Amino acid sequence: MQETASTNADMLVLAAEGTPEGLWLRAEAQTGGRGRLDRAWESPPGNLYCSTIVRMRPGEPAPATLALVAAVAVWQAVELVLPGRARIKWPNDIMIGPAKLCGILLERAGDAIIVGIGLNIRAHPDLAERPTTSLWAQGAVEANASNMLEKLSSLFNKLLETWRTYGLDPIRALWLSAAHEPGTPLRINLPDGTAFDSQFYTLDNDGALIVDLPDGTKRAIHAGDVFLL
Ligand code: BTN
């Protein structure tokens, strides 16, 4: 579609109408793009704005872990056009150095999980407190929204099948291989407004971030905003 408020919002409407799993929606631009933690997602033309729907089945891994499936799929798609450059930052940001290239937002309605992906291809917002980048700024000028969605949707579908068949373990292993090195300094902003510095340690078996604290103890983070220091 040309322009919409938010592909996630559109997909939530379709989910309520009974749309089956597997559909992908893409917009050229969004006027009300939604980001994590109630932020807006700037959505000018030239980037990829898309959403898909997964219908949860009994006995599957926790729905929130689909964020890791999506992050690995985007990372693999980016590897095809910019090999060896991107890293995943918990839970599901794709980074090039300190700059954010892609964000992922999961929303839930009953058994439907909407996975929304915003990948900066030609443009990236100028944000004071958060560096951002795009595929074009990094030299991948052959990338466009349509060829990136083609790669991404096919990688996502394969990883979804893996997640369903074998559980979170193989996805966790792929996520860790694409994440920052253990020991990477991180600042954690918790939903209650407190913040602390730590080092990346690992991802636990249910997708929580495990960090090393300066006093040598470990802490699991289930929600929050993570900054590379
Ligand atoms: C983040 O804050 O990092 C997540 C951003 C997610 C943006 C995408 S763009 C397509 C989909 N539709 C939306 O309104 N948001 C997601």
Side-chain angles (χ1 to χ4, degrees), residues 6-8 30 33-36 41 50 93 100 103-104 116-118:
S6 153
T7 56
N8 263 32
Q30 299 182 123
R34 314 210 282 226
R36 283 183 69 233
W41 186 257
C50 64
D93 287 344
K100 179 158 162 170
I104 296 168
I117 299 169

Side-chain angles (χ1 to χ4, degrees), residues 181-204:
E181 294 290 310
T184 300
L186 301 176
R187 171 153 307 144
I188 315 287
N189 284 3
L190 294 175
D192 67 5
T194 58
F196 62 92
D197 292 351
S198 60
Q199 292 184 341
F200 175 60
Y201 178 60
T202 193
L203 192 66
D204 83 359

Side-chain angles (χ1 to χ4, degrees), residues 82-123:
L82 276 182
R85 302 281 308 284
R87 299 272 98 197
I88 303 176
K89 175 171 76 65
W90 189 87
N92 49 21
D93 287 344
I94 310 300
M95 312 292 289
I96 305 242
K100 179 158 162 170
L101 178 71
C102 173
I104 296 168
L105 175 68
L106 258 58
E107 297 187 78
R108 180 169 193 171
D111 72 337
I113 307 295
I114 310 304
V115 181
I117 299 169
L119 173 63
N120 295 336
I121 297 181
R122 294 174 63 160

Side-chain angles (χ1 to χ4, degrees), residues 1-5 7 26-31 43-47 49:
M1 74 186 95
Q2 281 301 311
E3 184 180 278
T4 188
T7 56
R26 173 167 89 78
E28 298 289 340
Q30 299 182 123
T31 52
S43 309
N47 295 336
Y49 311 107

Side-chain angles (χ1 to χ4, degrees), residues 138-214:
Q138 298 294 329
V141 292
E142 73 285 8
N144 59 47
S146 136
N147 63 27
M148 289 309 293
L149 178 58
E150 212 173 295
K151 301 180 206 305
L152 171 61
S153 54
S154 123
L155 290 163
F156 180 86
N157 291 343
K158 282 191 204 127
L159 291 162
L160 181 63
E161 200 46 47
T162 302
W163 178 84
R164 289 222 149 102
T165 313
Y166 303 105
L168 188 59
D169 280 0
I171 302 298
R172 177 176 174 272
L174 288 166
W175 191 98
L176 282 170
S177 72
H180 293 93
E181 294 290 310
T184 300
L186 301 176
R187 171 153 307 144
I188 315 287
N189 284 3
L190 294 175
D192 67 5
T194 58
F196 62 92
D197 292 351
S198 60
Q199 292 184 341
F200 175 60
Y201 178 60
T202 193
L203 192 66
D204 83 359
N205 292 334
D206 61 9
L209 170 69
I210 310 290
V211 293
D212 276 316
L213 299 177

